[in-house]
Structures are given as structure tokens and as C-alpha cells.
Amino acid sequence: MKKILFILVILSTNFYAFSQPMEYQPSGIPVEYIGWELFLPWLGGMTDPKLDFADLDNDGDFDMIIGDQQGNIWYLNNIGDVNAPIWEIVSDFQDSINVHSYSCPALGDMDADGDYDLFVSSLYHFKLWYFENTGNIDNPIFELVSDSIEEVPWIINLALKDMNNDSDIDLFSGHGSWVQYFENIGDVFSFNFDLADTQIAGINFGQYTKPYLVDLNNDDLYDIIVGDEDGNINYLRNDGTPEQYNFTVVTQNLVGDVGSDAAPTLVDIDGDGDLDLFVGIGASGLFIPDGGIRYYENIGTPEIYNFTLRTNSYFDIDAGIYSIPRLVDINADGDWDLFIGAGNGTLVYCENTGDSLNPSFDLISTNYQGLPNAVNRSPDFADLDGDGDFDMFIGGNSGNIYYYRN
């Protein structure tokens, strides 16, 4: 009877332990990658991110929204300042904004009430959602007005700007391999889009074009930066007037091939007067096989850009789909190190440079010891030969288990 009571005590204790609430922490434990401290290392990763920036809470700095392959819209608040951003995740709008897949957001004050409204396009539906901001300049609340803006058909990606200097906001659309221009023939209070140009500059870009409008050379005219499926970023300089654009191709390779599904966005994120570059990428990259956000700092001037890559992963550890983490003290220093089996078959290694009470990870390798790839790696560790160190086992979707002796 005593044994039964003892078991019941253990069971009740374990039940209590396992029933404790857990809280998701996108930051918490710091992670560094090649000298770059990730802002939100445990954010979870995202595929095909597409960004837009605006001061959504009226505190004088740029906040960020991000669309992703799952169709969500992430809202990240900048709790730092105009010179040094600090990012805090507010919401992924999973309950209220989801367009099923490949969402692309764009912000603009479409009804002249002083706050930012939201358009979202989707590759899944090839159509456009409009969300009115029914909150205010300090607290955005986006409510769906229409899930089908019929005058903008077959849209993949979009961008918003007043392109013809008439004070209302026009729309540019990625459509297949070209960029279209929809003029707003309504007014500042009520938009009405009309297709005015079916193929900007007469250029066929790669598939799934992502346009962004920005004054890159500081001449008070909106230029176009276009990313495409092949990882190219095109720069079209506007040599026209504020009322009538005239685009000249400057380069079709602004920063080199970024992998695939390039989605560029430019903003002065460090407050030095020139435009920095963020690029969302898709299914390939250096160690981000299924997505990520690259950051290029502009070390040039407002008139002449000079983009320098600062990090391949601006926010988080993104090891790709089917990633599997394992903790093990691989270097016998008394704290837990982190291995991640990646969906593309590589093995990511993060050394714990902190201690057992205050962990801090340094992402050392994205292809640990150059081990042969095994799709959907699943690592585990044990001292199989009794020599006092950890050996490694790797499972993969081939059904095999590989044994690596330490």
C-alpha cells in the first residue's frame, strides 16, 4: 500500500510539473551569427517574407509588417528609436488576417484620416484584400473592408505610392514577369484604381516580381526596385517628372543573386539619411534554405548608394522546414549546446558561450564538420563506446540511421 501511495505522489507531482504554463519567448536567450546579434532568434522562421515599413504607433520610428508563405501578416513594433531599432513582436494576425498563402502587405493612408490602412495580396488567390485602419495613429486596428478589389485582377505582389503627384495613392502590381501600374482615379478619401500601364519600361522580369517604389537617388522622383523569382534585384531609375515617370534600367543585379524569390524593401532604418535594403528570400540562401531576411546597410550617400551585407539572417535562426533541435554538452564545459537538423539535410551548430544559468548561443556552423547531407536530418547524441564523450546518430527520411563516432 505504501508503494501505491508513493506512486500516486510521484504521478501527482509529475502532473503538476507538466501542467505548468509555458510562454513563447521569441527573444530571451541571445544568439549571435558572424558578429550579428539576432533581434528575435526564436521567432520561428518564415518563408518568402515580404516587408513594408511605417510608423504605426506614432513614436517617430519605423515599425514593420511582414507577409509570409503561410498567408499571415506579422506586426513588429520598433521599441528602439530612429537610429537603433529594437524589435518586439506584437502579433502575427493569425486570427484576423490570413490570406492562405504568400501574403504581400503594403501600407498607405487610403482614406485621408491620418493613419495607415493595409492592402494584402496573395499568390494563392491572385487577388487583393483591403483592411481599413479603424484605430488611430497610435494604435492600428485593421478591419476587413473587401477581399476582392475587382479593378486589380491577377495580382501577385504590390506596392503603394503617389506616382503622378496628384496627392492620392496609386498601386503597382507584380503580375507574372512584369510590373503593372494602376492609377488611382478616385481621390484621397476613396480610391478607384484604373490600369494605366501593363508593362513598366517594357521589361519582362523573372516570375513572381516584387516591386517597391522609393527615391533611391534623392532626386524627388520615385524609382522602382524589382525583385524576381531568380533572386535578381532590378533598379529602374525614374528620369521623368513627378507627374509622368520615365524609367531607365540602371542594373538588373543591385546586390548580386540572393537565391530566389527576392522581395526588396528600402528604408532608412539607422537614421543616417540614406536608404538601407532589406531582402526577403525564398527557397535558397546561405544557411536559410526556406526563407529569411537579409539586411544590407547603405554606407554610401543619399544620392549614391553602396549596399553592404550585414547579415544573412536579420531576425532569427531559420534552419528551414522540418528543423529538429537537440541539446547536448558537446564540448564538456558544463552547459547545453544546440544542434539543429535542417530540412535541407545540413546540420546547424550553435555553441553555448554563456553558462548553465545564463545561456547565450553563437551560431558557429551551418554545415557542421561538412557531414554528408541527409534530407530531414534528425540528430541525437549518446556515449555509445563508453569513452566519455558524445557520439552522434543521424536519422533521415531515407529510413537509415547514421552513426558518427566522436
Side-chain angles (χ1 to χ4, degrees), residues 105-330:
L107 293 160
D109 185 2
M110 304 307 300
D111 51 10
D113 63 351
D115 54 36
Y116 289 95
D117 307 298
L118 174 67
F119 280 105
V120 182
S121 63
S122 167
L123 178 60
Y124 182 83
H125 290 288
F126 296 101
K127 65 179 185 179
L128 191 61
W129 281 256
Y130 172 52
F131 298 85
E132 181 184 352
N133 187 349
T134 58
N136 52 51
I137 59 174
D138 302 307
N139 182 34
I141 300 173
F142 296 111
E143 292 192 6
L144 180 64
V145 175
S146 174
D147 64 356
S148 182
I149 308 298
E150 293 181 358
E151 62 265 31
V152 188
W154 292 97
I155 184 171
I156 297 174
N157 297 310
L158 77 155
L160 299 171
K161 282 294 187 298
D162 178 10
M163 199 63 202
N164 55 0
N165 201 33
D166 63 352
S167 298
D168 55 36
I169 295 176
D170 307 299
L171 185 147
F172 281 72
S173 161
H175 181 104
S177 58
W178 58 90
V179 176
Q180 296 181 331
Y181 167 47
F182 291 85
E183 181 185 355
N184 186 353
I185 58 174
D187 54 38
V188 295
F189 302 104
S190 179
F191 60 84
N192 182 16
F193 295 117
D194 181 61
L195 181 59
D197 193 336
T198 60
Q199 193 170 4
I200 290 294
I203 297 176
N204 280 326
F205 303 97
Q207 288 288 317
Y208 306 122
T209 54
K210 171 62 175 77
Y212 196 78
L213 280 75
V214 69
D215 182 8
L216 185 55
N217 58 351
N218 200 34
D219 64 352
D220 296 323
L221 299 173
Y222 286 121
D223 310 301
I224 296 185
I225 311 298
V226 184
D228 64 29
E229 180 187 37
D230 297 323
N232 302 311
I233 300 178
N234 306 264
Y235 168 33
L236 281 64
R237 185 182 64 233
N238 189 350
D239 294 325
T241 67
E243 291 75 27
Q244 180 58 55
Y245 58 77
N246 180 24
F247 292 112
T248 300
V249 178
V250 176
T251 179
Q252 294 182 282
N253 202 9
L254 187 66
V255 292
D257 186 348
V258 301
S260 71
D261 299 345
T265 307
L266 293 98
V267 64
D268 183 8
I269 201 62
D270 52 10
D272 63 352
D274 54 35
L275 294 166
D276 307 296
L277 173 66
F278 291 82
V279 183
I281 62 172
S284 63
L286 291 184
F287 86 93
I288 314 167
D290 286 286
I293 297 171
R294 297 188 180 188
Y295 167 56
Y296 297 81
E297 181 185 355
N298 189 349
I299 59 173
T301 68
E303 292 76 26
I304 302 176
Y305 62 83
N306 183 6
F307 294 117
T308 298
L309 179 65
R310 293 304 187 200
T311 180
N312 289 308
S313 187
Y314 185 75
F315 279 121
D316 55 5
I317 303 172
D318 190 340
I321 194 170
Y322 305 127
S323 58
I324 299 175
R326 290 289 186 266
L327 291 167
V328 60
D329 184 5
I330 199 65

Side-chain angles (χ1 to χ4, degrees), residues 22-155:
M22 294 186 179
E23 182 180 352
Y24 166 54
Q25 293 287 343
S27 52
I29 301 173
V31 178
E32 186 174 294
Y33 174 58
I34 314 180
W36 180 266
E37 186 167 336
L38 303 179
F39 282 102
L40 299 168
W42 314 106
L43 184 64
M46 58 185 70
T47 304
D48 280 290
K50 296 176 177 64
L51 292 67
D52 203 5
F53 292 86
D55 185 4
L56 289 172
D57 57 358
N58 196 35
D59 64 351
D61 54 37
F62 288 104
D63 308 301
M64 183 189 306
I65 56 172
I66 308 173
D68 67 13
Q69 190 189 63
Q70 302 303 313
N72 300 319
I73 299 294
W74 302 70
Y75 170 28
L76 276 65
N77 182 28
N78 183 356
I79 58 174
D81 56 41
V82 69
N83 304 114
I86 300 173
W87 300 102
E88 177 182 66
I89 182 169
V90 177
S91 171
D92 63 1
F93 290 104
Q94 192 157 4
D95 295 329
S96 58
I97 301 180
N98 186 296
V99 298
H100 306 292
S101 72
Y102 294 100
S103 52
C104 177
L107 293 160
D109 185 2
M110 304 307 300
D111 51 10
D113 63 351
D115 54 36
Y116 289 95
D117 307 298
L118 174 67
F119 280 105
V120 182
S121 63
S122 167
L123 178 60
Y124 182 83
H125 290 288
F126 296 101
K127 65 179 185 179
L128 191 61
W129 281 256
Y130 172 52
F131 298 85
E132 181 184 352
N133 187 349
T134 58
N136 52 51
I137 59 174
D138 302 307
N139 182 34
I141 300 173
F142 296 111
E143 292 192 6
L144 180 64
V145 175
S146 174
D147 64 356
S148 182
I149 308 298
E150 293 181 358
E151 62 265 31
V152 188
W154 292 97
I155 184 171

